Amino acid sequence: MKLSSCTAVAGTNIALVKYWGKRDPALNLPAAGSLSLTLKELGTRTTVRFGSHLGSEDRVRLNGRDPDDSTRTRIGTFLDLVRERAGITAHAEVVTENSVPTAAGLASSASGFAALAVAASRAAGLALLPTQLSALARRGSGSAARSIFGGFVEMQPGVFSDGSDAVAESISEGDGWGIRLVVAVTSEAEKAIGSTEAMERTARTSPFYASWLESIPGDLQDARAAIAERDLHRLGAVAERSAIRMHASAMAATPSILYWTPATLAAMNTVFALRDRGLAAYFTIDAGPHVKVLCEQDSVSEVNTALTATPGVIRTFTTSPGRGARILHETTA
Ligand code: PMV
């Protein structure tokens, strides 16, 4: 197999029907499906080069720095999967840059592992299909499986124990609709508890976990229909309740998992007030305190103004639907 250097890019994605719970933690198999929007403005660019001259360790640079130990281990474990599949033993040099603004909880692992799956598999001489890339990216982070595809994407939980059918698929490119996601950054701090540990605790201790899982198939069906009809009110209503239910199940865990801050609640109330004024704006919240507001292009400036004036909101920026992960360039070593 020919080893090369490969640079790939991927946009992050924000789930409108959330993934929160695993049926197999080792293989990162989700307990239920999820549905997301891949974004253009927030993403990762990663270059991978395998070579026997690189010595006995993978070398990783993340945003121009050495990553912390747990990130390095996570990337090394992921590269082991690629090496095993390609039948190589060489270590790799990985250079990765996030265009995600410096704020925690803005889903850099989704674009990060999607870009790494594309760049590393290609650099190792593999030619994987998008579905295979999605299954590979999932091993790095559950949400990364969705960033292989652009626009609106649905993740299948799958039924096989090897996870080969736990992959994402494209539903609609999402362009032409003019949908936007305005992100309200509410904190610069690291998130309190990572998603893997939080999901595990929710599944083990939350009395709401079973009903959370039961609610997902109906939400997926509703979201699919809303996208087909380009009905923002219907899609936004699903997104908002999915986020609230996900957080409610986590809050009810022992010890409680609470990602919201006063600024999160203030931004949620801003969105309710915008809707009272007749504006189609709906929020979603991930495993962190930031609030992401779904709206149409024409409403962006009003949403932006209202969020900027909300106590505790540090800044806002606007994102739009983007393409799936792809190779930027490759060279044969
Ligand atoms: O992919 P992970 O393990 O970082 O989990 C993602 C969890 C949420 O962002 C909160 C929801 C989602 O579906 O992306």
Side-chain angles (χ1 to χ4, degrees), residues 13 15 17-20 22 34 74 109 141-144 146 191 195-196 199 246 285-287:
N13 70 79
V17 178
K18 300 293 187 197
Y19 149 56
W20 196 253
K22 300 178 201 259
S34 56
R74 217 168 144 192
S109 70
S141 160
S143 55
R146 300 186 306 238
K191 64 178 156 189
S195 55
T196 296
M199 285 181 201
M246 175 200 117
I285 305 164
D286 289 303

Side-chain angles (χ1 to χ4, degrees), residues 9-15 39 41-46 62-63 67-68 71 74-75 96-117 137 140-147 183 190-191 195 286-288 290 292 317:
V9 287
T12 195
N13 70 79
I14 300 297
L39 302 179
E41 292 80 2
L42 303 181
T44 305
R45 175 191 170 112
T46 298
L62 175 58
N63 296 330
D68 60 40
T71 305
R74 217 168 144 192
I75 292 173
T96 186
E97 304 282 339
N98 287 326
S99 64
V100 177
T102 41
L106 285 171
S108 59
S109 70
S111 54
F113 281 104
L116 186 62
S141 160
S143 55
R146 300 186 306 238
S147 274
V183 180
E190 285 285 318
K191 64 178 156 189
S195 55
D286 289 303
H290 314 297
K292 293 130 193 180
F317 55 92

Side-chain angles (χ1 to χ4, degrees), residues 277-303:
R277 277 164 33 199
L279 206 86
Y282 297 86
F283 62 74
T284 182
I285 305 164
D286 289 303
H290 314 297
V291 177
K292 293 130 193 180
V293 182
L294 197 66
C295 64
E296 259 156 14
Q297 201 173 356
D298 295 351
S299 316
V300 164
S301 91
E302 206 173 330
V303 169

Side-chain angles (χ1 to χ4, degrees), residues 204-330:
R204 191 165 38 83
T205 66
S206 175
F208 299 164
Y209 182 66
S211 45
W212 152 248
L213 289 183
E214 273 167 33
S215 75
I216 296 173
D219 281 352
L220 286 170
Q221 207 178 348
D222 230 15
R224 266 184 241 120
I227 291 163
E229 291 159 14
R230 292 194 175 183
D231 183 340
L232 179 60
H233 291 284
R234 189 167 178 188
L235 183 61
V238 178
E240 221 173 78
R241 73 170 179 259
S242 178
I244 289 175
R245 287 173 185 179
M246 175 200 117
H247 283 271
S249 72
M251 280 178 211
T254 309
S256 180
I257 299 154
L258 181 59
Y259 289 111
W260 298 353
T261 63
T264 311
L265 285 161
M268 291 161 81
N269 278 318
T270 294
V271 173
F272 293 144
L274 284 168
R275 276 219 299 285
D276 284 346
R277 277 164 33 199
L279 206 86
Y282 297 86
F283 62 74
T284 182
I285 305 164
D286 289 303
H290 314 297
V291 177
K292 293 130 193 180
V293 182
L294 197 66
C295 64
E296 259 156 14
Q297 201 173 356
D298 295 351
S299 316
V300 164
S301 91
E302 206 173 330
V303 169
N304 215 17
T305 306
L307 287 172
T308 305
T310 301
V313 170
I314 298 168
R315 63 181 175 277
T316 67
F317 55 92
T318 305
T319 61
S320 53
R323 293 161 63 192
R326 60 206 176 273
I327 292 171
L328 274 194
H329 50 81
E330 54 183 324

